Amino acid sequence: RVPLGWNVPIYQKIAAEPGNFALLELPIRPFGDYMAYQTIHGKPIIGGYLARQPPYPLLSENDAVKYLLDTTPPDDPVAAKIKNGIGLQSLRDLGVKYVIIRWWAFTADQRTAMEIKLADLLARPPDLTYPADQVDVWQLSP
């Protein structure tokens, strides 16, 4: 069986796009899958997985990334710092062009929290949805 998300067409689209830009894949957890998907699209990713996970300061230094962590509740004070396009611009400043979420990786409570966070941060519905794979995609304009 092919893993969920492996055949999601967004990766072929991203692979065909010129330029150097990054993907933010959610949830932000040490999933080796993200690096497997990277073999298709060939672009940098935020996160990833190593057998011995080193410190990753970006997770605590960038307010938008910190807000999207499972451990940050939607009502955390950092929420005020990412609204009104501020968090979105900070992702763009990191070179992020796509935010891709795998809903199958969340419990019901985690999903509810993440839906609130994405509404605060991105303030719009996803650009692409792949219901069979439970994947949503937002493309961030420059």
Side-chain angles (χ1 to χ4, degrees):
R1 175 163 156 76
V2 176
L4 281 175
W6 189 257
N7 291 322
V8 177
I10 188 61
Y11 292 118
Q12 286 77 24
K13 177 186 181 309
I14 291 169
E17 287 186 44
N20 190 24
F21 54 85
L23 282 66
L24 173 58
E25 306 231 35
L26 301 172
I28 301 171
R29 298 181 194 152
F31 280 170
D33 295 18
Y34 298 156
M35 295 187 307
Y37 302 133
Q38 192 178 30
T39 65
I40 298 170
H41 61 72
K43 303 295 183 183
I45 59 173
I46 291 179
Y49 174 78
L50 296 171
R52 294 189 179 124
Q53 205 66 21
Y56 197 37
L58 178 67
L59 300 180
S60 60
E61 293 174 0
N62 181 285
D63 289 333
V65 175
K66 180 179 179 179
Y67 188 54
L68 294 173
L69 293 171
D70 291 339
T71 55
T72 306
D75 61 352
D76 188 280
V78 76
K81 297 178 181 180
I82 58 90
K83 291 188 178 188
N84 302 317
I86 295 168
L88 186 58
Q89 187 57 50
S90 76
L91 292 179
R92 288 186 191 116
D93 291 346
L94 290 173
V96 174
K97 186 173 180 179
Y98 289 95
V99 175
I100 302 172
I101 190 162
R102 282 164 186 73
W103 292 112
W104 54 262
F106 292 88
T107 65
D109 288 344
Q110 289 171 331
R111 181 178 178 133
T112 299
M114 185 56 73
E115 287 170 343
I116 293 167
K117 293 177 188 184
L118 290 172
D120 286 347
L121 180 64
L122 302 175
R124 62 184 172 86
D127 296 301
L128 300 165
T129 298
Y130 302 97
D133 295 297
Q134 300 178 50
V135 172
D136 285 337
V137 179
W138 288 261
Q139 182 174 346
L140 309 184
S141 57

